[in-house]
Amino acid sequence: MQRNVLIVDDEQVLAAAMADYLSRHGYATSTSGSGEQALKNLDAESPDLVLLDYRLPRMDGLQVLRKIKESHPEIEVIMMTAHGSVENAVEAMRLGAYDYISKPVDLEELRLVAGKALESQRKSNELDYLRAQIDKENPHDIIGRSEVMREVKRLIEQISSIEASSGREAPAILITGETGTGKELVSRAIHARSRRAAGPFVEINCAAIPLTLLEAELFGYEKGAFTDAKAAKLGLFEAADGGTLFLDEIGSMDLSLQAKLLKAIEEKAVRRLGSIRSRRFDVMLIAATNQPLERAIAERAFREDLYYRLKVLTLHLPPLRDRGGDAVELAEHFVAVHGRRYNRGEKKLTDSAKAAIARYRWPGNVRELGNVIERAVLLQNGPAIDVGDLALEPTVNGAPTLSINARDGLLEVDLSKGIVLEELERSIIERVLSKTGWNRTKAAQLLGLSRETLRYRIEKHNLKAPQLETDC
């Protein structure tokens, strides 16, 4: 696609030379001799890029730049001047200029800088498009009309409006529920309905990142704070300023980091690693957990003071099996979403498929349901999705089961009444360690974990190697 470039310069010979050079390299060009003329013709010219001289009659380049960015923020602007200064360059960048080049203009340099500016604009437009598509398909609406989900929706609305109605910063929010129940979706819904909706939504999974990296991610660091700190890095508290910070799986956070998190919450300030200066932040903090924190407190794996700081506002998400007929409504929603996403046409669930979905216990909750429907939409070429297309797990006496092969043994769990994932994880790790004679390297390989992660899980579940008997 040919890109439009508007050259704003009162030196007509130079403007014509630049226009001719860029035209020979595939750009559509036009020129204006003054800022007033350029602004007047902006809508008619529809430029993708403006090459703007700093020194213009009556209205200077910075004034023109400011007005362009006010009315057409999507247009990239490159400033040009023979009277460059650090102050002018800084001011131009602050007002939104992409770059700043000096006269006399090197035409090849101009072409390269223009190409980079337009490539940046293209990527930004693509990102905006993708965000819009995501928002269309995931509009932060909570699906479900069961009584328990109506109560969840009521709480979301109530929590979201606290800051706007009280004029004060909302306390921390704790979302609890099994894995896959939609804790992140609810946190995004709270953010989208709050007065912070225009601010950033920043998320991090506390269980997915090692302790040292998690601390650096949350609080940031200064250049030289540690060996690999080649440059200063913004922490997530700072990145979320004015918006929402979502800490998923907060129960997996190390105790030492919990203490620093509590201090940050109470002081509303963070200190980057290697810094002596605190930086204040304004965020709505939402934490989520799939494990009972009360038990973690009893096992000295979670700080009681942090728990009470987080649970001022608590929202519990029930498992899908306790949401009445919501599973079928969610399944129909996922059929429509994935049908559009993969251009698979309009598909419908048969009555028998709906009945199977309503009967199934969904141990993986909404996440599992979404994955099952996505697979069915992709693999079914016809318009109807039937029971066989769902490929649900087999059942024993009407109750779904989960079978896990630990190489030398089979662990079978009855899911008819649901499971506690923490207990299941403990059982699997204990079984594998027993089969490997507590060889942690072999056990980690079988489990697909790093040795360090396995060590953490062993400590988390307080697993102990059997004591060897000795003769007295």
Side-chain angles (χ1 to χ4, degrees), residues 281-293:
F281 61 80
D282 171 29
V283 303
M284 178 165 61
L285 183 69
I286 304 178
T289 179
N290 62 6
Q291 53 183 290
L293 293 183

Side-chain angles (χ1 to χ4, degrees), residues 137-256:
E137 296 181 355
N138 303 286
H140 311 304
D141 286 337
I142 310 299
I143 306 296
R145 287 176 284 184
S146 62
E147 184 177 345
V148 290
M149 289 311 295
R150 285 201 299 270
E151 176 62 14
V152 167
K153 292 177 184 179
R154 185 189 69 78
L155 286 172
I156 289 172
E157 295 296 339
Q158 190 173 354
I159 291 171
S160 302
S161 64
I162 286 176
E163 289 187 321
S165 60
S166 69
R168 299 178 63 85
E169 184 178 294
I173 302 160
L174 180 64
I175 303 175
T176 63
E178 295 178 8
T179 296
T181 48
K183 295 186 288 295
E184 182 186 342
L185 179 63
V186 167
S187 69
R188 288 183 180 275
I190 292 172
H191 171 77
R193 290 163 171 77
S194 74
R195 69 172 182 83
R196 299 174 179 270
F201 179 89
V202 178
E203 60 178 305
I204 189 168
N205 187 314
C206 300
I209 301 177
L211 169 62
T212 52
L213 292 181
L214 180 58
E215 182 176 5
E217 285 293 312
L218 284 174
F219 302 117
Y221 53 80
E222 297 291 355
K223 180 180 179 181
F226 47 86
T227 305
D228 293 328
K230 307 298 184 187
K233 182 181 184 298
L234 196 71
L236 296 186
F237 273 99
E238 293 178 77
D241 190 42
T244 301
L245 177 61
F246 176 56
L247 304 179
D248 199 6
E249 296 196 44
I250 188 73
S252 299
M253 183 179 286
D254 187 88
L255 277 170
S256 63

Side-chain angles (χ1 to χ4, degrees), residues 90-111:
V90 170
E91 181 64 5
M93 295 301 186
R94 189 185 69 78
L95 292 173
Y98 176 80
D99 209 341
Y100 195 99
I101 60 177
S102 299
K103 289 182 174 180
V105 174
D106 182 317
L107 293 177
E108 179 60 16
E109 178 190 4
L110 176 64
R111 183 176 69 85

Side-chain angles (χ1 to χ4, degrees), residues 331-340 342-350 354 373-386 389:
E332 291 176 325
H333 168 73
F334 286 134
V335 167
V337 167
H338 294 308
R340 290 194 303 269
Y342 297 111
N343 195 26
R344 299 289 290 167
E346 187 175 345
K347 296 183 183 295
K348 299 288 184 182
L349 294 166
T350 65
K354 292 178 184 178
I373 297 300
E374 183 175 10
R375 178 181 60 202
V377 167
L378 285 170
L379 298 181
Q380 173 55 264
N381 292 322
I385 295 176
D386 207 352
D389 301 315

